[in-house]
Amino acid sequence: MEAKTLFDKIWDGHVVRSIKDGPDVIYIDRHYIHEVTSPQAFNGLKQRGIPVFRPKNTIATADHNIPTKNQHLTIHDELSRNQVERLAENCKTHGIEYFGLNHSKNGIVHVIGPELGYTQPGMTIVCGDSHTSTHGAFGTIAFGIGTSEVEMVLATQCILQPKPKKMKITINGKLGKGVTSKDIILYIISEISTGGGTGYFVEFAGSAITSLTMEARMTICNMSIEMGARGGLIAPDETTFEYLRKVPSIHGVNDFDKALSEWKKLKSDEGAVFDKELFFDAASIKPMITYGTNPGMGMAVDDSIPQSDTKGGSSSESFLKSLNYMGFKPGMKLMGQPVDYVFIGSCTNGRIEDFRAFAHLIKGRKKADNVTALIVPGSKLVEDLMKKEGLIKVYEDAGFEVRQPGCSSCLAMNEDKIPAGKYAVSTSNRNFEGRQGPGARTLLASPLTAAAAAVTGKITDPRELLNN
Amino acid sequence: MPKEKFEILETACVPLPLENVDTDQIIPARFLSATSRDGFGDNLFRDWRYLKSGEKNPDFVLNNPKFGGKVLVTGKNFGSGSSREHAVWAIYDYGFRAVVSSFFADIFKNNSLNNGLLPIIISEDLLKKLHSQIQSDPSTKVRIDLEKQTLTIISTGDSVKFEINSYKKECLLKGLDDIDFLLTMKDQIKEYENNKSMVK
């Protein structure tokens, strides 16, 4: 039998029909929706006069456009309120499970999907959100789609997709002290640029990947979109199964052991051919930070900004426009650069492990006076765990206020905006111009590097604070 | 539902020779609270198009009266980042019918094809040439013939064939919609559900 990649196995298992010289019709097992990219899709169904085909396969949450304070009150902004109300109505009309605002299990779509047991190995998963790639950490084909495609899935549970090429990225070796999975993915993107994965679906492998927890794997797959890849996935293993054993319920699975025996088959065959293979050494990765306006413009935190975009191949015009926006110059070092804001949260680093890491570093220290911190759990369950583990107290003792769950300042659709010209060290996924608010200057980093900035008030190598 | 058919375009071009233009620049997140598809063109490239004061930024190409037309000629990796289809709605609503680059982000490309906006991929060399041609003569017109899959710079006669899969080409030319197509497959989809296996 021909050796196949894990991606091919799952894809081929979900092809309903192949169109000659066209896309494949792919069946979607799990569809996640949220308030921002779904209303126009529901409008489309209404105009066509058709129902949702398989309402049980769609799960909804409100996350992008909600406040992270006083969630029990009415949403102040009228348009935002309308959008959230429309989602609630649409879910009710069509019989879709809705984890709305103030639901005890509300949270960011890519945080709650896995923690509530909706994301399972071998599935095809889509959502009108590019960070749907997160779910690939469980050995799924998961990718972001546009609203027209959301409508397709609601109407038929299928989507038309050209089959992407396959890439394998192997990272072997042991990570150094203070180096996290966020640093791995920022490092890879800095090496291959934000377009380096375009047209590909990436399988991550190697000892540095298999030694990671599920939370850490989700961070890697989450940001695979930031290298342009359609998505990223990691073959499920004992770590995955252990995580799944602990989730409250695995929806649609009655016999765990039977499911487990199927999940265990989910791996690329020996000798399977990828269109492209890349190798990295974990030992050469340091804590990373970005200095520009795309996630590929990253470097080791103690490094200097390069003179030009040698790896990404951008023109000097684009490169200098970006540095000018950030208020930086080629050759500059960022260590010691004052920081105004720190944001921990998002679908990239808004899970319990991220808040534990941040807490570990701030414990016994105080928030720097010049820093405003936005501490935003990824979900209610993460918030509950923070309480249970005593983390909230650690944050409060150090002068940090913990907010309520949501996407928050990652895309700043709500009030959690970074003011123009201010520097924010953020654990989120995008440092685009204006991403965290018009004129805001974002430096992407791990929760540890963000915590180091939060207590020192400047860009700091977290390894300097981890000695004790 | 039927969409506007893609006709032969003969038009001047608007040059935006920047690389890695992400969908947050095309339409910032704070304009995504709408629940309809209309009116996004007003905020296309909002933060580049307007100064902090709210005045138009005279240095931005959309505000430069020398340039106009239905084709946006960009730099490589256009449309990266967020999956927001609002980016495509904004470009289309503004009046563009095609975008030219040496490569597009995958989700943006799919979204474009689903909305009658033609993403045309040409070589980096030709893209450079097209940009310098437009800069030296802003009235430069191109002819885009989807049926023949050609983009021609009318004044120089330089012509290139671009790729598009025949299914999507047909959809654009006839103004057809993927959902109408999928709805005709309901029986096949149900049959698939009854015989489903996780992997093959």
Side-chain angles (χ1 to χ4, degrees), chain A residues 4 9-10 12-14 16-17 19-23 25 27 29 36 39-40 43 47-48 50 53-54 65 79-80 82-83 86 121-122 128-130 144-149 151-152 155-156 158 160-161 194-195 198-199 225 228 230 263 266 294 312-315 318 321 411 413 430 432-433 435 438, chain B residues 1-3 17-20 22-25 28-38 40 47-48 52 76-77 80-86 89 103-107 109-111 114-115 124 164-168 177-186 188-190 192-193 196-200:
Chain A
K4 284 177 99 168
K9 290 181 188 181
I10 302 174
D12 294 349
H14 288 80
V16 178
R17 174 178 167 186
I19 300 169
K20 193 172 173 285
D21 188 28
V25 177
Y27 190 84
D29 296 316
V36 177
Q40 294 87 351
N43 291 350
Q47 280 166 18
R48 287 170 207 270
I50 54 173
F53 181 53
R54 295 287 181 243
N65 206 354
L79 286 173
S80 305
N82 178 49
Q83 206 171 44
R86 285 289 284 279
D129 187 285
S130 58
I145 57 175
T147 298
S148 296
E149 294 167 318
E151 190 179 337
M152 281 178 216
T156 67
C158 287
L160 288 159
Q161 287 292 300
T194 54
T198 304
I225 179 71
R230 205 68 184 83
W263 295 339
L266 294 169
N294 71 58
S314 287
S315 65
S318 295
K321 180 181 185 297
L411 84 168
M413 274 195 81
R430 288 184 176 139
F432 297 154
E433 281 186 33
R435 171 81 178 179
Chain B
M1 282 174 291
K3 290 185 162 29
L18 288 172
E19 288 124 0
N20 307 314
D22 57 77
T23 51
D24 273 80
Q25 305 320 310
R30 63 186 189 280
F31 300 112
L32 304 185
S33 291
T35 52
S36 80
R37 292 176 181 234
D38 309 320
F40 287 102
D47 293 337
W48 288 348
K52 271 179 211 147
K76 72 175 175 186
N77 196 23
S80 53
S82 158
S83 63
R84 61 188 71 166
E85 197 161 307
H86 314 63
W89 300 335
F103 77 90
F104 294 95
D106 291 323
I107 306 179
K109 191 164 77 180
N110 280 357
N111 287 344
N114 285 335
N115 284 277
E124 264 188 61
I164 180 170
N165 73 58
S166 55
Y167 168 81
K168 273 294 172 194
D177 180 296
D178 281 349
I179 300 178
D180 288 335
F181 171 79
L182 287 172
L183 287 171
T184 65
M185 284 183 53
K186 274 281 176 74
Q188 207 174 338
I189 295 169
K190 284 177 189 162
Y192 168 86
E193 285 178 325
K196 190 174 176 310
S197 62
M198 189 191 293
V199 296
K200 243 178 204 167

Side-chain angles (χ1 to χ4, degrees), chain B residues 31-62:
Chain B
F31 300 112
L32 304 185
S33 291
T35 52
S36 80
R37 292 176 181 234
D38 309 320
F40 287 102
D42 293 344
N43 293 312
L44 173 66
F45 295 118
R46 175 76 200 200
D47 293 337
W48 288 348
R49 205 165 138 196
Y50 295 92
L51 299 170
K52 271 179 211 147
S53 61
E55 309 264 309
K56 283 186 176 175
N57 174 6
D59 296 332
F60 188 59
V61 68
L62 292 192

